[in-house]
mmCIF file of all heavy atoms in Angstrom:
data_model
loop_
_atom_site.group_PDB
_atom_site.id
_atom_site.type_symbol
_atom_site.label_atom_id
_atom_site.label_comp_id
_atom_site.label_asym_id
_atom_site.label_seq_id
_atom_site.Cartn_x
_atom_site.Cartn_y
_atom_site.Cartn_z
ATOM 1 N N SER Q 22 2.602 -8.172 0.760
ATOM 2 C CA SER Q 22 2.903 -7.563 1.984
ATOM 3 C C SER Q 22 4.347 -7.686 2.426
ATOM 4 O O SER Q 22 5.307 -7.223 1.700
ATOM 5 C CB SER Q 22 1.925 -8.124 3.144
ATOM 6 O OG SER Q 22 1.699 -9.491 2.955
ATOM 7 N N TRP Q 71 10.611 -1.750 22.107
ATOM 8 C CA TRP Q 71 11.305 -0.855 21.242
ATOM 9 C C TRP Q 71 11.433 0.547 21.997
ATOM 10 O O TRP Q 71 12.485 1.196 21.782
ATOM 11 C CB TRP Q 71 10.656 -0.706 19.873
ATOM 12 C CG TRP Q 71 10.851 -1.825 19.050
ATOM 13 C CD1 TRP Q 71 11.518 -3.006 19.305
ATOM 14 C CD2 TRP Q 71 10.494 -2.009 17.604
ATOM 15 N NE1 TRP Q 71 11.449 -3.948 18.252
ATOM 16 C CE2 TRP Q 71 10.840 -3.305 17.182
ATOM 17 C CE3 TRP Q 71 9.913 -1.157 16.699
ATOM 18 C CZ2 TRP Q 71 10.684 -3.833 15.921
ATOM 19 C CZ3 TRP Q 71 9.601 -1.526 15.435
ATOM 20 C CH2 TRP Q 71 10.095 -2.889 15.038
ATOM 21 N N GLU Q 90 -8.450 -4.238 15.781
ATOM 22 C CA GLU Q 90 -7.909 -3.701 16.990
ATOM 23 C C GLU Q 90 -6.453 -3.308 16.764
ATOM 24 O O GLU Q 90 -5.963 -2.326 17.450
ATOM 25 C CB GLU Q 90 -7.858 -4.812 18.159
ATOM 26 C CG GLU Q 90 -9.225 -5.157 18.648
ATOM 27 C CD GLU Q 90 -9.974 -6.058 17.793
ATOM 28 O OE1 GLU Q 90 -9.329 -6.905 16.938
ATOM 29 O OE2 GLU Q 90 -11.183 -5.877 17.636
ATOM 30 N N SER Q 97 -1.071 3.826 18.741
ATOM 31 C CA SER Q 97 -0.332 4.004 20.018
ATOM 32 C C SER Q 97 1.188 3.829 19.676
ATOM 33 O O SER Q 97 1.953 4.531 20.300
ATOM 34 C CB SER Q 97 -0.889 2.938 20.969
ATOM 35 O OG SER Q 97 -0.062 2.783 21.927
ATOM 36 N N PHE Q 98 1.583 2.993 18.707
ATOM 37 C CA PHE Q 98 2.918 2.905 18.214
ATOM 38 C C PHE Q 98 3.490 4.283 17.788
ATOM 39 O O PHE Q 98 4.511 4.740 18.139
ATOM 40 C CB PHE Q 98 3.066 1.857 17.158
ATOM 41 C CG PHE Q 98 4.453 1.699 16.548
ATOM 42 C CD1 PHE Q 98 5.278 0.738 17.128
ATOM 43 C CD2 PHE Q 98 4.857 2.483 15.565
ATOM 44 C CE1 PHE Q 98 6.574 0.580 16.627
ATOM 45 C CE2 PHE Q 98 6.180 2.348 14.985
ATOM 46 C CZ PHE Q 98 7.029 1.320 15.567
ATOM 47 N N VAL Q 109 0.393 5.045 5.228
ATOM 48 C CA VAL Q 109 -0.679 4.048 5.424
ATOM 49 C C VAL Q 109 -1.301 3.519 4.102
ATOM 50 O O VAL Q 109 -1.899 4.357 3.382
ATOM 51 C CB VAL Q 109 -1.728 4.550 6.406
ATOM 52 C CG1 VAL Q 109 -2.893 3.532 6.574
ATOM 53 C CG2 VAL Q 109 -1.166 4.980 7.681
ATOM 54 N N ASP Q 136 -6.188 8.724 9.405
ATOM 55 C CA ASP Q 136 -6.263 10.206 9.878
ATOM 56 C C ASP Q 136 -4.888 10.536 10.478
ATOM 57 O O ASP Q 136 -4.657 11.686 10.675
ATOM 58 C CB ASP Q 136 -7.414 10.436 10.906
ATOM 59 C CG ASP Q 136 -8.755 10.224 10.236
ATOM 60 O OD1 ASP Q 136 -8.819 10.447 8.976
ATOM 61 O OD2 ASP Q 136 -9.727 10.134 10.967
ATOM 62 N N VAL Q 199 -3.684 9.245 -8.466
ATOM 63 C CA VAL Q 199 -4.020 10.744 -8.357
ATOM 64 C C VAL Q 199 -3.958 11.128 -6.876
ATOM 65 O O VAL Q 199 -4.585 10.500 -6.112
ATOM 66 C CB VAL Q 199 -5.484 11.003 -8.726
ATOM 67 C CG1 VAL Q 199 -5.895 12.402 -8.547
ATOM 68 C CG2 VAL Q 199 -5.614 10.582 -10.279
ATOM 69 N N TYR Q 201 -3.743 14.049 -3.786
ATOM 70 C CA TYR Q 201 -4.244 15.350 -3.294
ATOM 71 C C TYR Q 201 -3.490 15.687 -2.004
ATOM 72 O O TYR Q 201 -3.548 15.001 -1.063
ATOM 73 C CB TYR Q 201 -5.627 15.575 -3.171
ATOM 74 C CG TYR Q 201 -6.150 16.828 -2.519
ATOM 75 C CD1 TYR Q 201 -6.110 17.984 -3.287
ATOM 76 C CD2 TYR Q 201 -6.565 16.948 -1.293
ATOM 77 C CE1 TYR Q 201 -6.547 19.240 -2.817
ATOM 78 C CE2 TYR Q 201 -6.892 18.113 -0.690
ATOM 79 C CZ TYR Q 201 -6.937 19.342 -1.436
ATOM 80 O OH TYR Q 201 -7.292 20.494 -0.941
ATOM 81 N N HIS Q 213 -0.127 6.005 -16.903
ATOM 82 C CA HIS Q 213 0.748 5.169 -17.791
ATOM 83 C C HIS Q 213 -0.249 4.118 -18.512
ATOM 84 O O HIS Q 213 -1.454 4.062 -18.186
ATOM 85 C CB HIS Q 213 1.703 4.445 -16.921
ATOM 86 C CG HIS Q 213 1.187 3.688 -15.836
ATOM 87 N ND1 HIS Q 213 0.494 2.453 -15.895
ATOM 88 C CD2 HIS Q 213 0.947 3.997 -14.605
ATOM 89 C CE1 HIS Q 213 0.073 2.029 -14.760
ATOM 90 N NE2 HIS Q 213 0.326 2.977 -13.823
ATOM 91 N N HIS Q 221 -2.021 -10.611 -8.365
ATOM 92 C CA HIS Q 221 -2.042 -10.321 -6.913
ATOM 93 C C HIS Q 221 -0.664 -9.751 -6.496
ATOM 94 O O HIS Q 221 0.315 -10.047 -6.960
ATOM 95 C CB HIS Q 221 -2.297 -11.606 -6.167
ATOM 96 C CG HIS Q 221 -2.587 -11.293 -4.804
ATOM 97 N ND1 HIS Q 221 -1.717 -11.389 -3.727
ATOM 98 C CD2 HIS Q 221 -3.787 -10.853 -4.136
ATOM 99 C CE1 HIS Q 221 -2.330 -11.070 -2.629
ATOM 100 N NE2 HIS Q 221 -3.500 -10.807 -2.786
ATOM 101 N N LEU Q 237 13.692 8.231 0.681
ATOM 102 C CA LEU Q 237 14.953 8.631 0.090
ATOM 103 C C LEU Q 237 14.959 10.047 -0.378
ATOM 104 O O LEU Q 237 16.017 10.490 -0.899
ATOM 105 C CB LEU Q 237 15.278 7.673 -1.027
ATOM 106 C CG LEU Q 237 15.727 6.228 -0.564
ATOM 107 C CD1 LEU Q 237 15.782 5.297 -1.835
ATOM 108 C CD2 LEU Q 237 17.043 6.128 0.137
#
Side-chain angles (χ1 to χ4, degrees):
S22 41
W71 287 7
E90 294 72 40
S97 168
F98 178 92
V109 173
D136 293 342
V199 175
Y201 173 73
H213 52 80
H221 189 265
L237 289 168

